[in-house]
Amino acid sequence: MAERILVTGASGWLGLGIVKALLARGDEVIGLDIHMSPQLSALRQHYPRFASVEADLGEWSQVMEAFRKHEPQAVVHAAAIVGVVHAADIPVKAMRVNVEGSVNLFEAMRFHDVKRVVNISTEETYGDFTAHIIDETHPQKPTSVYGLTKLAAEHYGRIYADRYGIECINTRTCWVYGPDLPRVRVPKVFIDAALAGQSYHLKAGGDLAVDQVYIDDTVAGVLLALDKPKHRFDAYHIATGQAPSIDDVARIVRELVPGADVSTSPGWYLHGDKFPTAKKGALDISRARKELGYAPKYDLRKGIEHTLNLAREALRSA
């Protein structure tokens, strides 16, 4: 298992979760991001094994300097322009960050003889699902700018693996949720409305079935991929293997928050009310179970309940 791990996108929601998990188990961590968040900076006060680096993955010299100075033994690559809407709104920047930034990272690994990177990928690389549950061999035909950039990063990783011996392991996750999710998306929109005593009605998309994974399970799967001594595959689904509908999410929130006025209507789900979603479903996690020992701890109800409880605690302490 690697002991000195570089985490890109360390100030991001998922990146920060990965950094905290690595530090909690005793690893030395280098958190790299273009800006340091207050939460990330605060970790330096508690963990002498943590170093933060402000660097732009789009700037080759900055990436090289981070590797030269800190000498990581492995990398978790969480930096990205995340989300269908965000990437579509700034497609050139999404390409620079998600694709060019990944290439700069792989190049720095090549020059400094760092062999393993766990790349955070997404179900968006598949585009439209052709079945209710799909495995990692499903054709990758993205229908969004975001999915396209993430697929390009995966393919670059494969080329670097073939030519230079870098091991790029892709953990494809799905709609990750949990406390403090920084994106306006299900189930956050229902939870926030319920706790605020406000009404929220999703005007279309209630019948969309999609795998939704609690952040702690995502982090656990990433660490399992990082730790496995030898991989037979370069991609794993880190999800739940189930695809509840958006209406199921609203129903669970109503059951957990008596009086909550949250609901949905059927129809095509739109990201940000403007971009139609690709056809979704569940991600088969059999490979991750067998190869990594991955076992998600949170089904949808348990994950939403835990998110609600943590949100209530935060409100009480505010």
Side-chain angles (χ1 to χ4, degrees):
M1 181 179 69
E3 296 180 349
R4 191 181 309 111
I5 302 160
L6 173 70
V7 179
T8 71
S11 284
W13 182 64
L14 181 56
L16 181 62
I18 293 168
V19 167
K20 288 179 175 179
L22 291 169
L23 289 171
R25 73 180 197 175
D27 287 305
E28 184 177 347
V29 180
I30 307 110
L32 183 149
D33 213 316
I34 193 168
H35 297 298
M36 291 296 108
S37 67
Q39 297 92 331
L40 196 68
S41 297
L43 292 176
R44 290 181 295 189
Q45 301 176 17
H46 304 286
Y47 294 99
R49 292 172 283 99
F50 176 66
S52 59
V53 180
E54 287 195 347
D56 184 347
L57 281 183
E59 298 296 333
W60 158 250
S61 61
Q62 294 181 23
V63 182
M64 288 291 285
E65 176 62 16
F67 273 75
R68 184 199 66 78
K69 182 177 180 180
H70 295 282
E71 299 181 339
Q73 296 168 295
V75 178
V76 176
H77 183 28
I81 298 295
V82 178
V84 171
V85 176
H86 196 186
D89 285 343
I90 49 173
V92 175
K93 186 173 182 180
M95 181 274 294
R96 285 209 64 212
V97 173
N98 296 3
V99 184
E100 185 179 338
S102 296
V103 174
N104 284 341
L105 179 67
F106 299 154
E107 275 286 277
M109 291 178 61
R110 178 169 75 91
F111 271 92
H112 291 86
D113 198 32
V114 178
K115 293 301 185 183
R116 175 171 289 184
V117 55
V118 177
N119 176 51
I120 310 300
S121 194
T122 169
E123 96 287 353
E124 284 291 328
T125 65
Y126 293 120
D128 291 323
F129 288 21
T130 59
H132 295 301
I133 183 167
I134 64 170
D135 66 15
E136 292 87 348
T137 65
H138 187 283
Q140 291 180 286
K141 298 179 180 179
T143 59
S144 66
V145 170
Y146 175 56
L148 177 60
T149 61
K150 297 298 282 185
L151 178 58
E154 283 197 21
H155 283 335
Y156 267 107
R158 294 186 180 102
I159 290 172
Y160 272 77
D162 290 342
R163 292 188 178 180
Y164 306 118
I166 291 173
E167 189 177 36
C168 183
I169 306 301
N170 302 292
T171 53
R172 297 181 193 139
T173 189
C174 208
W175 288 20
V176 185
Y177 69 95
D180 303 316
L181 176 68
R183 297 165 60 193
V184 181
R185 196 185 67 188
V186 172
K188 174 182 172 63
V189 290
F190 296 138
I191 291 172
D192 289 352
L195 291 177
Q198 299 173 349
S199 299
Y200 186 91
H201 177 71
L202 186 68
K203 60 186 178 182
D207 46 355
L208 173 68
V210 58
D211 208 323
Q212 298 169 70
V213 54
Y214 188 72
I215 184 172
D216 288 5
D217 285 332
T218 305
V219 172
V222 169
L223 267 58
L224 286 168
L226 178 69
D227 294 344
K228 185 176 175 63
K230 187 175 181 180
H231 287 276
R232 293 196 299 147
F233 303 98
D234 75 349
Y236 300 93
H237 285 164
I238 303 300
T240 69
Q242 301 176 349
S245 71
I246 303 300
D247 192 59
D248 289 331
V249 178
R251 174 183 53 77
I252 290 171
V253 171
R254 290 195 302 270
E255 292 172 356
L256 294 174
V257 184
D261 185 14
V262 296
S263 58
T264 73
S265 289
W268 206 265
Y269 184 90
L270 299 177
H271 293 284
D273 291 328
K274 55 183 177 180
F275 296 109
T277 184
K279 294 178 182 178
K280 303 290 183 179
L283 298 181
D284 188 336
I285 60 174
S286 300
R287 178 185 290 181
R289 285 187 184 276
K290 181 178 179 181
E291 298 290 326
L292 305 179
Y294 171 70
K297 295 181 179 179
Y298 294 87
D299 61 15
L300 182 62
R301 185 182 183 89
K302 184 177 178 181
I304 290 176
E305 184 174 26
H306 194 50
T307 303
L308 278 165
N309 290 337
L310 291 174
R312 289 185 178 113
E313 289 179 12
L315 288 171
R316 285 193 293 268
S317 61

